[in-house]
Amino acid sequence: MNAPASHSMPSAAASPLDMRGRPLRDLRLSVIEACNFRCPYCMPADRVPDDYGFDSATRLSFDEIETLVRGFAQLGMHKLRLTGGEPLLRKNLPTLIQRLARIPGLDDIALTTNGSLLAAQARALREAGLGRITVSLDAVDPARYRDMTGGRGEIGHVLAGLEAARAAGFESIKINCVVERGINDDQVLPLVSHFRGTGHVVRFIEFMDVGTCNEWSRDRVVPSAELRDRIAARWPLRALEANYRGEVASRYAFEDGQGEVGFVSSVSAPFCGDCHRARVSADGRLYTCLFAGEGHDLRPALAGGVDALRERVSSVWTRRRDRYSEMRDAAGASRKHVEMFLIGG
Ligand SMILES: C[S@@+](CC[C@H](N)C(=O)[O-])C[C@H]1O[C@@H](n2cnc3c(N)ncnc32)[C@H](O)[C@@H]1O
Ligand code: SF4
């Protein structure tokens, strides 16, 4: 999706660099804190009440989100991903997307969803200007899938959502699977087998120590190299070049031409040096790292309009030094992390 020709594009020179020389290229924006699932690695049901996040008192309005995205775009952000909680629970999301799609400088709007509500919304999302969809799916076996969603998900709904998305014209649909040893690592080969040759790209994500409530331990992380070897033993693989600098997934093609598979290895091979990503929670807090403890409240600046917002973000970004993933094991690394469901992955 391209900006209309009548808008002037923000210059790349306007983009601030952080203390490690990294520009701001990418924004992950949560549009809602609530979720209809309770995946144990993200929002365990015994820690997060069912009605969590449905109170919209502090949630940014569509006007505020549009101001925010305009400000970020003027700083050089050109890739936007909407997330949550579950973003498809946000009412009138296609209307928001339509407004964002007109913002100059934005050349990619994507969505990460659990897919449960996608079948009914795929066409409206596409028509509004959404460019790409990522669907999270941690198992193909229906009972295992249900367990992975905290007893809330029906795999049939997600598969119907994928079909509807394809029919609506989404071409490069990614399927994200978080792998936990002893929990769902037996689902890796079935997932590959199910999606090979369909055009969808499955990406396996190492279980991360985000948040405070998922009882993360290193023993439950399956390093990507191990998964890659398991898959390659069955379907030989060939490494592919990254699509662009800073791409977080390493990509492999099936030698037999049946598509590709990806791995996101933020535990075994951290990629902080190339991290150009900011995250904003649904209540307007800016996090400069997935593992940050504290966010920066953007709401006062937002009230002052695009210029004030841009200045505030720039002042935070130019002071950014984070590289938590690379320091995970170092003494003194922060142990207080924002919850994943607040910043959306
Ligand atoms: C927080 S969810 C929000 C969007 C939507 N509800 C979904 O599940 O796609 C975004 C992504 O974060 C991933 N995620 C959540 N907790 C994680 C963890 N501890 N380690 C790795 N990925 C995680 C999810 O699997 C999902 O793909
Ligand atoms: S991973 Fe997504 S679907 Fe699962 S609990 Fe977290 S926000 Fe909800």
Side-chain angles (χ1 to χ4, degrees):
M1 161 222 32
N2 295 313
S6 59
H7 292 292
S8 61
M9 302 286 279
S11 87
S15 182
L17 298 181
D18 74 3
M19 309 279 283
R20 302 186 188 281
R22 299 167 294 188
L24 201 182
R25 293 280 182 250
D26 207 324
L27 173 63
R28 213 159 259 230
L29 175 66
S30 168
V31 293
I32 192 165
E33 309 83 342
C35 188
N36 52 344
F37 286 4
R38 286 291 179 273
C39 309
Y41 56 71
C42 176
M43 216 173 175
D46 57 345
R47 304 288 294 269
V48 188
D50 277 7
D51 60 355
Y52 178 85
F54 281 105
D55 168 11
S56 58
T58 57
R59 195 178 297 158
L60 296 185
S61 66
F62 283 4
D63 285 345
E64 287 172 311
I65 291 178
E66 185 177 340
T67 303
L68 181 131
V69 172
R70 274 185 196 281
F72 271 88
Q74 290 177 14
L75 293 171
M77 180 277 292
H78 59 94
K79 285 162 73 86
L80 173 68
R81 179 170 291 275
L82 302 177
T83 176
E86 174 44 45
L88 297 186
L89 289 172
R90 178 84 191 235
K91 287 206 172 59
N92 302 320
L93 189 67
T95 306
L96 175 66
I97 290 173
Q98 210 169 24
R99 289 173 65 167
L100 301 180
R102 290 196 287 258
I103 294 178
L106 255 191
D107 50 37
D108 185 26
I109 303 185
L111 175 83
T112 302
T113 171
N114 63 31
S116 59
L117 305 168
L118 185 56
Q121 299 191 42
R123 189 157 297 277
L125 293 166
R126 185 67 180 173
E127 286 169 2
L130 184 68
R132 294 184 303 124
I133 292 190
T134 299
V135 173
S136 304
L137 184 65
D138 301 325
V140 277
D141 174 77
R144 304 297 304 290
Y145 177 72
R146 214 173 155 64
D147 289 347
M148 293 305 293
T149 60
R152 322 269 163 126
E154 293 298 333
I155 192 158
H157 296 165
V158 184
L159 297 178
L162 285 169
E163 273 313 304
R166 194 203 294 272
F170 289 101
E171 277 162 17
S172 67
I173 302 177
K174 298 209 173 73
I175 315 278
N176 272 2
C177 170
V178 176
V179 182
E180 281 184 79
R181 193 184 297 282
I183 307 281
N184 70 330
D185 58 330
D186 62 330
Q187 292 293 299
V188 167
L189 294 183
L191 271 163
V192 174
S193 170
H194 187 93
F195 288 106
R196 249 171 55 86
T198 64
H200 300 322
V201 177
V202 182
R203 301 188 317 173
F204 294 103
I205 300 175
E206 289 175 351
F207 174 41
M208 288 186 280
D209 48 338
V210 283
T212 54
C213 52
N214 63 15
E215 294 174 4
W216 183 84
S217 83
R218 201 174 268 277
D219 322 338
R220 302 230 306 272
V221 178
V222 187
S224 293
E226 180 182 329
L227 287 182
R228 185 200 54 213
D229 292 349
R230 275 198 224 170
I231 296 168
R234 175 95 172 262
W235 299 285
L237 295 172
R238 167 173 53 86
L240 294 172
E241 291 289 310
N243 279 320
Y244 54 89
R245 181 155 183 248
E247 184 172 44
V248 296
S250 48
R251 303 164 53 228
Y252 289 81
F254 295 109
E255 291 277 19
D256 64 1
Q258 292 301 298
E260 62 177 83
V261 64
F263 301 91
V264 179
S265 320
S266 78
V267 180
S268 66
F271 34 78
C272 303
D274 261 345
C275 175
H276 306 152
R277 182 170 297 168
R279 296 176 162 85
V280 174
S281 58
D283 63 352
R285 290 185 165 272
L286 166 64
Y287 293 86
T288 55
C289 178
L290 184 54
F291 301 96
E294 302 288 343
H296 304 264
D297 188 2
L298 298 181
R299 295 178 73 101
L302 264 179
V306 177
D307 291 349
L309 184 276
R310 200 182 54 236
E311 273 165 39
R312 170 83 169 119
V313 172
S314 185
S315 91
V316 172
W317 191 263
T318 50
R319 281 180 282 130
R320 172 190 193 232
R321 324 180 57 96
D322 319 80
R323 55 184 193 97
Y324 173 79
S325 260
E326 291 178 352
M327 298 173 40
R328 178 172 275 113
D329 296 321
S334 154
R335 299 311 303 168
K336 185 180 171 212
H337 303 159
V338 60
E339 301 299 337
M340 189 72 140
F341 54 84
L342 292 179
I343 54 170

